[in-house]
Amino acid sequence: MEEKEISQAVIGRLPRYFRYLGDLKDEGVERISSQELSELMKVTASQIRQDFNNFGGFGQQGYGYNVEFLYKEIGKILGLDKTHHLIIIGAGNLGQALGNYMNFEKRGFLLKGMFDKSTELQGKEIRGIPVQPMENIESFVRENNIDIAVLTIPKTSAVEVAEVLANNGIKAIWNFAHVDLNVPEGIQVENVHLSDSLMKLSYNLERYTKEQNK
Amino acid sequence: MEEKEISQAVIGRLPRYFRYLGDLKDEGVERISSQELSELMKVTASQIRQDFNNFGGFGQQGYGYNVEFLYKEIGKILGLDKTHHLIIIGAGNLGQALGNYMNFEKRGFLLKGMFDKSTELQGKEIRGIPVQPMENIESFVRENNIDIAVLTIPKTSAVEVAEVLANNGIKAIWNFAHVDLNVPEGIQVENVHLSDSLMKLSYNLERYTKEQNK
DNA sequence: ATTCTTGTGTCAATTCATTGACATTATTTT
DNA sequence: AAAATAATGTCAATGAATTGACACAAGAAT
């Protein structure tokens, strides 16, 4: 059943479905049709049905989709029924911001450790988690069953830290450094290149302004 | 010449080209072929040529591309030759992190104001920019020629703040709130949904783990 | 000056993603 | 209980994005 590879285009849309379904659930909505959902989310109903069907039919003809059931199923697909242990490397502003962001805990992403090379930050606590020196990373990852590392360090050190992590069995890296990591296949990397995102916005701003002046 | 619409798929790749070309420039590399660049960036040479040609031929047959020239041209396309005035709304951890991030200034994105509803934060300065109360947003946007607003506030208030911004002539919103904004057409929105990104990582982690256990 | 090499720009082919259409099945109404 | 309605799952058609192939131009070598 779960044989053929699901395209990343589909995966990229799942969190958004998940968000809308969560809201609907909280509002007490019990069922929804692809048509209604499509109007809400501003995508085609066809795409919604096609997307869900990649995972094998969550709906019922003539009825639609049960909101709570669908919400849970998508959560499972996204691995949100499991807990994940994560560490944050780089306890600067961004690292602290992510560390303080409670919502991740709610989804099963548990912050287990923080690391920074600055001795000023070491010892400081973020939500009860002390910032440790970088030297501790290797043993900490091995001994605490860490599966996700969040990289919020400058690009110069990111590449080598990623290598250390890879050598110590990390399974996934959430990379905020402005550099492409070159890790062995099998280690998942998700990049958040903020400046890329801002440049995209800048392009669209520019283009629209030009278009107006024609 | 600049008539046909460029697809967002292409735009999304430009910042990455820009980054690699900047690095090459700093290393003193003068020219590069699509073939060499493709090996470096791990994309096809065909895609690189196709992408650049959307903007009308930056290269020379038999020679390749001049790194510095290409770097500058892509910068122009992305609007990085202009300066942009931005404000950050929400001076919590994430807002402060973005405010403190100097690199944006280097690219012409100048932080002009910060706002927060918390009276505790008001008056505090981030890189010399004081945090102001939310009531000031409207007049500040109008009087200071602000074109980009960064939203780092909870989703409950994001929607209404976006409306206020739209009514006061903002041109672009960089949205970190976990909600889809519904702004009039013509206002550019770039979403950074961090939790979506983390969920994608979680899915890929999950999927790969399962695949291994087969 | 002529030949050879390199490597772009571009067209065509292919692959991937999205949309549209509809047969089929469950639910609701009469 | 039968007819009518609603809405999925899926197949086919379309559209978009990526890759491959190659003619041709610029530069290097002889």
Side-chain angles (χ1 to χ4, degrees), chain B residues 33-34 49 53 57 59 61-62 65:
Chain B
S33 68
S34 59
R49 295 206 295 278
N53 256 83
Q61 294 184 339
Y65 299 89

Side-chain angles (χ1 to χ4, degrees), chain B residues 193-211:
Chain B
H193 292 325
L194 293 179
S195 58
D196 289 16
S197 167
L198 185 54
M199 288 181 196
K200 244 164 75 190
L201 183 60
S202 172
Y203 170 86
N204 284 319
L205 175 56
E206 194 72 6
R207 185 207 45 157
Y208 187 81
T209 309
K210 252 185 209 143
E211 214 164 82

Side-chain angles (χ1 to χ4, degrees), chain A residues 132-178:
Chain A
Q132 302 179 54
M134 301 291 275
E135 297 79 63
N136 295 9
I137 293 177
E138 304 194 43
S139 57
F140 194 91
V141 167
R142 280 199 310 269
E143 289 160 19
N144 292 274
N145 199 19
I146 302 300
D147 31 27
I148 303 178
V150 184
L151 285 192
T152 47
I153 49 180
K155 62 176 174 179
T156 37
S157 35
V159 176
E160 39 179 326
V161 170
E163 208 179 324
V164 169
L165 290 166
N167 291 337
N168 288 277
I170 204 85
K171 300 200 205 82
I173 296 177
W174 199 20
N175 177 39
F176 287 77
H178 298 171

Side-chain angles (χ1 to χ4, degrees), chain B residues 2 10 15 21 24 42 49 52 58 68 72 122 131 135 140 157 176 178 183 188 199 206 212:
Chain B
E2 215 259 322
V10 174
L21 288 164
L24 286 166
K42 301 198 174 111
R49 295 206 295 278
F52 292 168
F58 297 135
E68 181 146 16
K72 280 201 185 132
Q122 286 163 23
V131 177
E135 297 80 62
F140 194 90
S157 36
F176 287 76
H178 298 172
V183 296
Q188 308 302 319
M199 288 181 196
E206 194 72 6
Q212 290 312 90

Side-chain angles (χ1 to χ4, degrees), chain A residues 2 4-18 51 54-55 74 77-79 190, chain B residues 195-205 207:
Chain A
E2 216 259 323
K4 65 172 184 310
E5 184 107 356
I6 313 286
S7 87
Q8 288 294 312
V10 175
I11 305 308
R13 285 191 291 265
L14 290 183
R16 187 154 179 263
Y17 291 131
F18 188 72
D51 281 350
N54 280 292
F55 307 96
I74 294 180
I77 293 166
L78 290 169
E190 169 81 18
Chain B
S195 58
D196 289 16
S197 167
L198 185 54
M199 288 181 196
K200 244 164 75 190
L201 183 60
S202 172
Y203 170 86
N204 284 319
L205 175 56
R207 185 207 45 157

